[in-house]
Amino acid sequence: MSDEPILKVIFFQTAAGREPVREWLKRLDKDDRKTIGEDVKLVQFRWPLGMPLVRKMENALWEVRTHLGNRRIARILFTVRGNEMALLHGFIKKSQKTPANELNLARTRRDQWQKEWESNE
């Protein structure tokens, strides 16, 4: 692994200043946080990556797939713009297919983040 990250990881922020992914991570136990953090770091330093760690969901939307204990799978949906990786939404996947409400929330946050990014250029 290179000493320099390819992507800078940022947490999506709501208009009220909340960081939903950071808040979700803080509710998980320490071991789960560590495992998810290691996977995000791997993406940060080795981008672009594919399966089994990273899956493209649609245009400008990917998921980091982290296998936790007890057959649990954590997902962090993210987008990339320039050299920034914005963590949009995190959840524990309970079904085979990614639920539409989880994807829709990530899409909304992606679009909001990209608009902010463009207005700051």
Side-chain angles (χ1 to χ4, degrees):
M1 217 177 329
S2 162
D3 288 346
E4 291 294 316
I6 295 166
L7 298 174
K8 175 184 173 190
V9 174
I10 62 166
F11 288 91
F12 168 82
Q13 253 188 2
T14 66
R18 290 185 47 242
E19 294 176 324
V21 175
R22 188 186 307 269
E23 293 168 10
W24 172 74
L25 286 167
K26 285 181 177 179
R27 289 192 301 269
L28 299 175
D29 72 42
K30 185 179 175 185
D31 290 340
D32 289 349
R33 278 196 309 270
K34 184 176 189 290
T35 303
I36 293 167
E38 287 169 354
D39 285 350
V40 169
K41 185 176 179 181
L42 186 59
V43 174
Q44 180 185 14
F45 279 82
R46 303 289 298 273
W47 181 255
L49 287 171
M51 292 287 280
L53 182 61
V54 175
R55 178 173 162 226
K56 184 165 186 167
M57 303 301 288
E58 60 187 53
N59 185 38
L61 190 62
W62 293 266
E63 67 176 3
V64 177
R65 306 153 55 95
T66 300
H67 291 269
L68 305 172
N70 299 332
R71 298 175 47 118
R72 294 175 308 135
I73 302 170
R75 299 286 196 252
I76 293 188
L77 297 167
F78 70 96
T79 191
V80 174
R81 182 80 187 250
N83 69 338
E84 292 183 330
M85 171 186 188
L87 306 183
L88 303 169
H89 181 50
F91 62 101
I92 302 292
K93 191 168 174 187
K94 295 179 173 83
S95 62
Q96 196 74 12
K97 189 173 180 182
T98 302
N101 63 322
E102 307 286 7
L103 268 175
N104 288 336
L105 181 56
R107 286 181 187 119
T108 300
R109 290 175 178 171
R110 172 197 62 201
D111 296 346
Q112 186 179 338
W113 182 74
Q114 288 184 337
K115 281 181 188 153
E116 283 179 28
W117 197 87
E118 289 166 0
S119 69
N120 291 330
E121 275 191 328

